[in-house]
DNA sequence: GTTCAAGTTGACGTTAACGTAAACGTATTT
DNA sequence: AAATACGTTTACGTTAACGTCAACTTGAAC
């Protein structure tokens, strides 16, 4: 097992955040690195937690929410009630994630349209002669389609 | 054309936000409703803008970023340079969105695992007799798989 | 031995995105 | 005319997620 621990600045660099950020996550109880003297030493498990937190952050989750998700992987749920309520929260999360996924796909489709129009427009500019009216019509079509969304 | 305008509280209710939120968006220059006397009157176009802003919010965009995306649909870009830089920003956005999409899919897969284990566990509890060791083993398997992520 | 790089603990500052409350206008319902 | 519902402006408050010092320690390097 190579390199079983990490320093704070190693992780900071790997994930493209500041050390302050990682210490902040500890303040909030998101990670609990060991200490060697007073220096922090992060385990691979700590590293994964940070990674998952940042993943959550990328899709707009609060730290609290990310922790909630991460903790679902831990077996702190013993009895029937806890398991069933866990299933419920799982389903809630899933619903929200599916909505987000749809939002992203819609937005991607919009980007495709914009880009297509840009490239078409650029191509037309390549040909020196063209009617300005035609250009204007092409430019406005996307905006109109957007306006027609219910 | 039925109901071509909306009051602030109509939109607030439709989108599940407060009127304060909508006025705040106006403060920030995101929408520019007409006025009837001093009352705000929102057009369908205003409504769509708000809708798109909230879509952006759901996937973790800042208001500024959402506006940036929305404005890409407007034809304020006339010359070659502007079109080309627009294509670049489009590609940046797309890259980020694709990353987000992957993040969401990963997270969904994780949720599937958690739920499967929960239900398996609940099923086992249905049968009165089972070894506690077995149960414990099952509960920990997800956490271990997570830990093995690079 | 000192200089340096990397770490530490406070503590206060900052920004975005609203919340909340006060004080007021206007229209209609009773 | 009094109350009710809906709207307005102004302004201060709040929370999350860090940024930004300042002042100190600690081990390694020169």
């Amino acid at each position: 097992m190579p390199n079983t621990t990490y320093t704070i600045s190693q992780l900071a660099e790997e994930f493209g955040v500041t050390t302050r950020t990682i210490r902040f996550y500890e303040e909030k109880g998101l990670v609990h690195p060991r200490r060697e003297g007073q220096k922090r030493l992060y385990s691979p498990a700590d590293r994964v937690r940070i990674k998952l937190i940042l993943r959550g952050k990328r899709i707009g989750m609060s730290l609290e929410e990310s922790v909630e998700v991460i903790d679902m992987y831990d077996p702190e749920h013993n009895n029937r009630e806890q398991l069933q309520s866990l299933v419920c929260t799982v389903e809630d999360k899933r619903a929200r994630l599916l909505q987000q996924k749809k939002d992203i796909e819609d937005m991607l489709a919009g980007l495709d349209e914009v880009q297509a129009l840009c490239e078409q427009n650029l191509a037309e500019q390549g040909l020196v002669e063209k009617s300005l009216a035609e250009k204007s019509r092409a430019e406005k079509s996307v905006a109109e389609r957007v306006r027609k969304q219910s």
Side-chain angles (χ1 to χ4, degrees), chain A:
Chain A
M1 29 206 101
N3 219 17
T4 189
T5 64
Y6 312 85
T7 77
I8 193 170
S9 46
Q10 276 175 5
L11 292 183
E13 190 182 358
E14 174 177 0
F15 293 129
V17 299
T18 69
T19 60
R20 172 67 175 108
T21 298
I22 298 184
R23 275 186 218 105
F24 176 74
Y25 290 166
E26 185 176 352
E27 266 182 57
K28 293 279 151 174
L30 276 70
V31 282
H32 309 285
R34 297 190 348 255
R35 296 295 181 114
E36 190 173 54
Q38 66 170 0
K39 309 286 176 79
R40 291 167 171 82
L41 274 189
Y42 295 85
S43 70
D46 291 328
R47 179 176 161 281
V48 169
R49 281 184 75 88
I50 294 176
K51 195 176 181 178
L52 293 182
I53 288 162
L54 295 175
R55 183 183 73 179
K57 209 181 131 184
R58 282 196 299 273
I59 62 174
M61 285 185 166
S62 68
L63 298 187
E64 198 176 12
E65 206 178 348
S66 283
V67 172
E68 195 191 342
V69 171
I70 294 173
D71 286 347
M72 300 194 318
Y73 295 104
D74 290 341
E76 291 163 6
H77 28 69
N78 312 310
N79 61 47
R80 214 175 174 72
E81 279 185 33
Q82 293 189 12
L83 278 171
Q84 278 167 342
S85 86
L86 177 56
V87 171
C88 290
T89 40
V90 165
E91 277 165 359
D92 287 1
K93 294 291 169 197
R94 195 197 331 267
R96 282 198 42 200
L97 288 174
L98 289 175
Q99 173 64 53
Q100 285 187 272
K101 195 179 165 188
K102 182 176 182 307
D103 288 333
I104 288 176
E105 282 158 357
D106 291 350
M107 215 172 282
L108 281 170
L111 291 186
D112 286 346
E113 285 193 46
V114 170
Q115 188 172 4
L117 277 170
C118 283
E119 281 164 358
Q120 174 188 335
N121 209 314
L122 282 168
E124 283 175 11
Q125 287 199 2
L127 316 173
V128 184
E129 78 283 7
K130 65 183 178 308
S131 88
L132 290 174
E134 203 175 29
K135 190 185 154 198
S136 171
R137 256 190 293 120
E139 273 171 345
K140 285 189 176 166
S141 69
V142 171
E144 274 162 18
R145 226 167 311 169
V146 166
R147 217 156 282 138
K148 279 171 193 158
Q149 279 188 19
S150 73

